[in-house]
Amino acid sequence: MYLGFDLGTSGLRAVLVDASGAVLAASDFAWPVDHLHPGWSEQDPTHWVAGCTQAVSDLRAKAPQEFAAIRAIGLSGQMHGATLLDKSGDVLRPAILWNDTRSAAEAATLDATPDIRALSGNIVFPGFTAPKLLWVEQNEPEIFAQIDMVLLPKDYLRYWLTGEFVSDMSDAAGTSWLDVGKRDWSAELMAAGHMRRDQMPRLIEGSESSGQLRDDLLAEWGLTGSVLVAGGGGDNAVAACGVGCLHEGEGFVSLGTSGVLLAAKESYAPAPETAVHTFCHALPQTWYQMGVILAATDCLNWLAKNLGDSPATLAERLPQSISGPSGTYFLPYLSGERTPHNDADIRGAFLGLDINSGPQDLTQSVMEGVGFALRDSLSALSATGTELKNVLAIGGGTRSKFWLESLATILDLPLQVPAKGEFGAALGAARLAMVADGRTISEVMTPPEVSETIQPRADLVSAYNDAYQRYGAFYPSIKEVLS
């Protein structure tokens, strides 16, 4: 048996799988995110430990015999978060999360430093880890002086599980301290960020063993023998493992809290000027590229909250099939934007509102705005020479047929929808545990069964293309107004 943990922004998901990869039981635990000031996003790491403990208790109750046979654990986690520890291994302050933009000025300074992009393969975005540490140095010098170790969120959970300071290549690639091509910490990048190598965890591949579950947890969880903990990875790389996205031309689009368009790469070919992320995959000598928008289903959640309704109800009021683009436009920049703008200060907007505009019109324009933003990512990926041939659609937003057909038509790409079941980052984490335990990548990292393929509406592609061209003209205008 194998256990996969996915440590997300709003909670933890755990799955227990058997040797065939079938999910036997699953558990979820939610936690809060603190937004003390505009642009801030923090979390208390004790929530991660509590969530893990609760999930284990739940799984043991659901499948006691199967849980007792666990051989290995895999980890997936939200990327970029800065978890700061002192010499005793105690947390110095709440973790600063991936969607925190307070360090925009520090990110710009780092990004303008010679050779930073060449070494890291990426723009230094405000959400990355290195600029967060520069912000701490400038604004919380007493905290900065005590830092003995910096861990990414899932690696703090690993530290609690094993007592080891270890990270993997895919997660470390989002720090701006890693030479992504060489898959190792870069002395030059760390020096630019005023950090030292001894403050960095040991690096391994995501499919390797990072250590053993602590003896006291073995006893507490009712396990015997040894249980290894795999390297794991950043959530998108591990989600790619969960859907078997490993080879050139394979990719997925994720309608989750944020929006992601990811393409697997068999070689390292960065193009930071496009604002596309080029990161190590969770598997050896493999990379991936992705465009990221900071708010996808978050936009629908925001609209639902302000309309006093639920996201599901808003989505259900739309028809099953599209009939053409809305005359109302929505810019989904509620938390700034990454690809292609790299703009922490830009904010969202509705344009073209009419006296007759109602909740259904607003919902449609929100879904289309997210789709147009993801087309920006597709254009950026295309500019790097990346071509997607096979695209899976995953994430909570895929429950809406209207949203899926809108997105397929906006991207002009067929979207494959996996059959119902577990296929995300928690399953990917369990799969990495299986490989760390001796299984082969080819037998474990298989794609899911496809329930249906959503084809672009050929009769509407031109209309949505025209709407996308108009959408593209709004960003510079809104930017000028807000400056």
Side-chain angles (χ1 to χ4, degrees):
M1 301 298 163
Y2 300 91
L3 183 59
F5 289 123
D6 177 32
L7 191 162
T9 310
S10 56
L12 179 135
R13 181 163 181 80
V15 298
L16 179 65
V17 308
D18 64 17
S20 73
V23 175
L24 305 177
S27 181
D28 295 279
F29 185 89
W31 46 57
V33 179
D34 297 321
H35 303 286
L36 302 179
H37 304 285
W40 287 36
S41 184
E42 297 186 346
Q43 208 157 60
D44 183 348
T46 61
H47 294 314
W48 308 337
V49 172
C52 183
T53 301
Q54 181 60 45
V56 165
S57 177
D58 190 30
L59 291 176
R60 290 183 69 189
K62 290 177 177 176
Q65 291 183 330
E66 293 83 356
F67 188 92
I70 287 173
R71 291 173 55 93
I73 298 170
L75 301 174
S76 166
Q78 50 167 303
M79 296 181 69
H80 314 307
T83 313
L84 313 181
L85 308 184
D86 64 15
K87 288 184 180 296
S88 300
D90 295 327
V91 176
L92 288 165
R93 68 172 325 283
I96 307 177
L97 303 188
W98 64 274
N99 54 350
D100 189 294
T101 57
R102 76 184 73 177
S103 60
E106 290 80 6
T109 298
L110 267 181
D111 192 51
T113 304
D115 296 329
I116 292 293
R117 290 188 180 187
L119 287 167
S120 71
N122 293 276
I123 289 174
V124 182
F125 290 90
F128 283 14
T129 321
K132 292 179 172 70
L133 271 292
L134 289 177
W135 183 92
V136 172
E137 181 183 32
Q138 291 294 318
N139 294 274
E140 298 174 349
E142 71 288 352
I143 297 292
F144 188 83
Q146 299 178 67
I147 296 172
D148 188 65
M149 180 62 59
V150 181
L151 295 178
L152 296 160
K154 69 128 181 29
D155 297 325
Y156 179 78
L157 186 59
R158 181 202 320 280
Y159 170 59
W160 177 73
L161 291 169
T162 68
E164 300 286 342
F165 293 131
V166 180
S167 189
D168 75 289
M169 314 298 185
S170 70
D171 217 357
T175 62
S176 290
W177 293 319
L178 190 83
D179 184 322
V180 176
K182 294 182 178 178
R183 303 172 85 92
D184 195 10
W185 298 122
S186 163
E188 294 88 346
L189 290 174
M190 287 186 293
H194 302 171
M195 301 300 293
R196 307 183 310 271
R197 191 176 185 109
D198 64 275
Q199 294 172 306
M200 302 292 123
R202 176 170 61 90
L203 285 174
I204 63 171
E205 296 288 354
S207 54
E208 295 178 334
S209 172
S210 67
Q212 304 291 325
L213 189 66
R214 292 186 352 236
D215 289 343
D216 57 328
L217 287 179
L218 282 170
E220 183 180 329
W221 294 1
L223 301 174
T224 57
S226 62
V227 175
L228 69 83
V229 178
D235 50 6
N236 287 300
V238 181
C241 293
V243 297
C245 178
L246 315 177
H247 306 294
E248 199 83 23
E250 298 175 346
F252 68 75
V253 60
S254 173
L255 288 174
T257 302
S258 59
V260 172
L261 186 61
L262 181 147
K265 303 290 289 184
E266 295 175 355
S267 61
Y268 178 60
E273 69 281 359
T274 64
V276 163
H277 299 345
T278 301
F279 291 154
C280 303
H281 209 313
L283 301 170
Q285 294 307 303
T286 310
W287 289 262
Y288 68 93
Q289 289 183 319
M290 66 178 178
V292 176
I293 66 173
L294 292 179
T297 58
D298 241 11
C299 294
L300 191 60
N301 295 339
W302 166 84
L303 180 66
K305 180 179 67 175
N306 283 283
L307 292 179
D309 221 326
S310 73
T313 300
L314 292 182
E316 287 166 1
R317 289 179 183 147
L318 295 176
Q320 289 291 299
S321 189
I322 63 176
S323 58
S326 171
T328 302
Y329 290 85
F330 175 72
L331 305 187
Y333 308 139
L334 300 181
S335 301
E337 195 54 294
R338 284 200 186 174
T339 310
H341 303 304
N342 184 28
D343 191 340
D345 298 322
I346 192 68
R347 287 298 179 265
F350 279 109
L351 300 102
L353 290 171
D354 184 85
I355 191 69
N356 293 316
S357 297
Q360 185 169 320
D361 303 289
L362 298 179
T363 304
Q364 179 177 348
S365 65
V366 163
M367 290 183 176
E368 290 174 356
V370 169
F372 292 143
L374 285 167
R375 178 158 169 184
D376 279 343
S377 289
L378 179 63
S379 298
L381 282 169
S382 298
T384 73
T386 294
E387 181 181 355
L388 284 169
K389 301 174 183 176
N390 180 13
V391 180
L392 286 162
I394 64 175
T398 61
R399 288 191 288 268
S400 166
K401 289 291 183 67
F402 185 92
W403 207 346
L404 276 175
E405 194 174 59
S406 298
L407 184 58
T409 306
I410 289 168
L411 299 178
D412 197 13
L413 281 174
L415 300 180
Q416 296 180 331
V417 182
K420 289 184 178 180
E422 190 76 38
F423 50 81
L427 176 61
R431 286 179 164 189
L432 287 167
M434 295 167 76
V435 176
D437 191 43
R439 303 283 294 280
T440 66
I441 292 172
S442 59
E443 68 174 319
V444 170
M445 305 291 179
T446 55
E449 177 188 350
V450 173
S451 65
E452 63 177 322
T453 299
I454 308 296
Q455 297 289 345
R457 284 281 300 275
D459 58 324
L460 294 174
V461 166
S462 178
Y464 280 93
N465 184 62
D466 291 342
Y468 171 67
Q469 300 306 319
R470 289 191 290 274
Y471 167 89
F474 294 137
Y475 169 78
S477 300
I478 294 297
K479 178 69 174 174
E480 183 178 353
V481 169
L482 294 178
S483 297

